[in-house]
Amino acid sequence: MKSAMETVADVGILPVIAVPSVEAAVPLADALVAGGIPAIEVTARNAWAFEAIARIRRAHPDMAIGAGTILEGRQIAEAKEAGADFLVSPGLDPEIVREAQAAGLPIVPGVTNPSEITLAVKLGLRTLKFFPAEISGGVAALTLYHGPFPDVKFVPTGGMTMDNIGAYLAKPFVAACGGSYMAKGDDIRAEAWEKISDNCRRCVEIAREARS
């Protein structure tokens, strides 16, 4: 059975969404899955984020669901109880990493430089979020980092668009591109589910072509 991060890497696309309401959670997940992306990172930027995760988990038991913007240890237990498969944090906090590992939840912390990558590797991590990707050197930076860290896979996030994800996904050390480029907040609030599904299909095709 595939792990959640293997599912994410297989698709190459990780929707990173601040779900605007708990009622939007399941219809959004439905739209992502219909478009060929059985994965989501729900950011913990509002009071209902973990309830949104719980609702998505009940509706889509096989979906790869991450809890993002993990900044405090208490959020780890909430995420696990809600049914999250993995955690994502914007930066590298060794204490948070250790707490996540103790809870049995994979965590993908954000890094931007060799020192942070070195520390993450020492903590036993091999999949890292590169954030904010575009203003931190983009594809060129990741290509340089791959040299000394050949076993690390990256999930670039921050500044990702349908116009630039192909360049990232063409690199074998990029596991997936994270972002909300396929499901903008305005489209979610407008319940433009078919548009979101169409965007997902386009992203999946971009990923397929980049990796072929």
Side-chain angles (χ1 to χ4, degrees):
M1 184 177 179
K2 290 180 182 178
S3 70
M5 290 311 300
E6 287 172 334
T7 295
V8 171
D10 282 350
V11 179
I13 307 293
L14 178 59
V16 179
I17 312 294
V19 180
S21 70
V22 72
E23 292 78 16
V26 172
L28 171 61
D30 293 344
L32 297 177
V33 171
I37 302 179
I40 187 171
E41 174 193 329
V42 177
T43 61
R45 299 182 185 181
N46 49 53
W48 54 84
F50 297 114
E51 175 58 25
I53 289 173
R55 291 192 182 193
I56 294 171
R57 171 57 67 213
R58 289 193 293 270
H60 293 279
D62 298 326
M63 197 172 187
I65 305 173
T69 320
I70 299 300
L71 299 170
E72 302 177 46
R74 62 172 179 80
Q75 294 175 305
I76 296 171
E78 291 181 82
K80 186 171 184 177
E81 183 178 356
D85 297 301
F86 62 96
L87 308 173
V88 183
S89 57
L92 177 62
D93 182 333
E95 183 177 344
I96 293 292
V97 170
R98 294 188 186 101
E99 288 186 39
Q101 291 170 332
L105 280 177
I107 185 167
V108 183
V111 298
T112 58
N113 61 61
S115 296
E116 292 173 340
I117 298 170
T118 298
L119 177 55
V121 169
K122 286 185 176 180
L123 289 166
L125 304 177
R126 292 298 181 272
T127 300
L128 305 174
K129 176 178 179 176
F130 184 52
F131 176 78
E134 280 289 276
I135 65 172
S136 298
V139 175
L142 286 181
T143 301
L144 292 174
Y145 294 153
H146 176 62
F149 304 103
D151 297 329
V152 173
K153 300 285 188 180
F154 295 96
V155 181
T157 308
M160 299 294 96
T161 69
M162 291 191 199
D163 293 326
N164 65 18
I165 59 173
Y168 284 91
L169 291 167
K171 301 296 184 180
F173 45 82
V174 171
C177 287
S180 60
Y181 44 90
M182 79 300 291
K184 299 289 189 180
D186 287 346
D187 288 333
I188 297 172
R189 283 185 285 271
E191 300 183 359
W193 308 126
E194 189 54 43
K195 178 181 178 181
I196 290 170
S197 292
D198 286 343
N199 288 343
C200 290
R201 294 183 189 101
R202 183 181 170 200
C203 289
V204 170
E205 184 60 29
I206 292 170
R208 185 180 297 116
E209 290 178 357
R211 290 172 162 180
S212 61

